[in-house]
Amino acid sequence: MTGQRRTALVTGGGSGIGRAIALRLAEDGFATAVLDLDTEAAERVAAEARQKGHASLAVGGVDVSDRARVDEAVRQVRDALGPVLVLVNNAGVSATEGFLRITDTSWNRIMAVNLNGPFYFCQAVVPGMKKAGWGRIVNISSSSAQSGQPYMTHYVASKAGLIGLTKSLALELGPAGITVNTIPPGFVDTPMLRASEERGFLGGSVDHHAELTPVRRAGRPEDIAAACAFLVSEEAGYVTGQVIGVNGGRNT
Ligand code: NAP
């Protein structure tokens, strides 16, 4: 399929890391589907890509934890832009709660969005990738799943699950020409990080933590997008089942 335009779907593409990934993949020549719970945010990012002359479709109001909506969204993207051959499972939610305070509702919501969502999307797009004999899946996990993080047991467990999903799926799909990798970001300046800072969950300001980071700055969404752009490229075909940390040296 070299030379032909492929379609990439980015979940949580309306904000932060997902936005940067969607815009970068558009620049790299992919037709992009910007999927988000927040319809206006998805529209804004897709419009930004289209203004630069790229094919981009907003798919708003989709909760990744709703399998029926996921299947419908993937069909909608396929009809408008062609089969999804690149999937970036980026949408995620976090929470900071002491372990004994975590309710079933909170635990289940985090798992539903961070782990069930990628499961549903992978099942929805893999048949099309198999048919094409080519596919790229990138799961955005978290450096906290490498190190552990107090007061975030549910979040960390969901992201560790996503790393496990990545490794197993990579082995199963390798023969079909599909690679599956995960990027666990660490400390990236996005609305999610700023919300944690505002609520006092970071144990210090973003600036303070940037000083403690080996490269002496917070991550930018574009840092994650650059790694993702490589992983979905043609030349990354021998890279699969990998955990590619992008964290300024905070986790090694
Ligand atoms: P963000 O700015 O909050 O963006 C997340 C996007 O996902 C938002 O647009 C959000 O929409 C959307 N979303 C949330 N729940 C959704 C759902 N159920 N269905 C569809 N879309 C949903 O966060 P971010 O910092 O860019 O994070 C992106 C990913 O990186 C997440 O998986 C996060 O866990 C991971 N990560 C981030 C960091 C970091 O330092 N920032 C570190 C480690 C891992 P709404 O705004 O409507 O909720």
Side-chain angles (χ1 to χ4, degrees), residues 19-40:
R19 172 183 173 275
I21 292 172
L23 293 175
R24 171 63 193 261
L25 298 191
E27 286 293 333
D28 287 357
F30 292 94
T32 51
V34 182
L35 184 141
D36 207 286
L37 199 51
D38 183 334
T39 302
E40 278 179 26

Side-chain angles (χ1 to χ4, degrees), residues 28-219:
D28 287 357
F30 292 94
T32 51
V34 182
L35 184 141
D36 207 286
L37 199 51
D38 183 334
T39 302
E40 278 179 26
E43 297 282 0
R44 267 197 306 276
V45 175
E48 209 175 325
R50 283 196 300 269
Q51 263 164 19
K52 292 180 181 156
H54 309 304
S56 187
L57 174 76
V59 188
V62 180
D63 184 336
V64 300
S65 70
D66 180 341
R67 190 196 272 276
R69 291 290 286 123
V70 167
D71 288 344
E72 189 188 326
V74 168
R75 270 196 302 274
Q76 186 188 339
V77 173
R78 190 180 51 223
D79 291 348
L81 300 174
V84 175
L85 297 187
V86 172
L87 169 67
V88 183
N89 282 309
N90 163 80
V93 286
S94 76
T96 305
E97 293 165 306
F99 179 64
L100 294 179
R101 289 184 180 274
I102 296 175
T103 60
D104 283 9
T105 306
S106 178
W107 177 274
N108 290 338
R109 181 64 189 156
I110 298 256
M111 291 295 164
V113 175
N114 295 359
L115 193 50
N116 295 7
F119 165 55
Y120 298 153
F121 268 101
C122 288
Q123 283 202 330
V125 303
V126 162
M129 291 178 176
K130 280 188 164 175
K131 206 169 160 199
W134 193 94
R136 298 279 188 264
I137 298 172
V138 178
N139 296 317
I140 305 300
S141 51
S142 170
S143 63
S144 64
Q146 298 171 293
S147 58
Q149 183 75 24
Y151 305 106
M152 296 186 88
T153 316
H154 38 9
Y155 176 78
V156 172
S158 72
K159 294 297 191 175
L162 191 54
I163 293 174
L165 183 153
T166 301
K167 291 187 176 190
S168 290
L169 198 57
L171 303 186
E172 196 167 324
L173 297 182
I178 303 165
T179 68
V180 190
N181 292 287
T182 181
I183 300 173
F187 199 62
V188 181
D189 197 351
T190 66
M192 183 188 272
L193 188 74
R194 290 292 172 177
S196 295
E197 179 187 41
E198 244 172 61
R199 289 150 139 177
F201 291 157
L202 288 187
S205 66
V206 168
D207 287 350
H208 168 71
H209 282 285
E211 276 309 306
L212 301 176
T213 300
V215 304
R216 296 291 187 273
R217 67 170 175 86

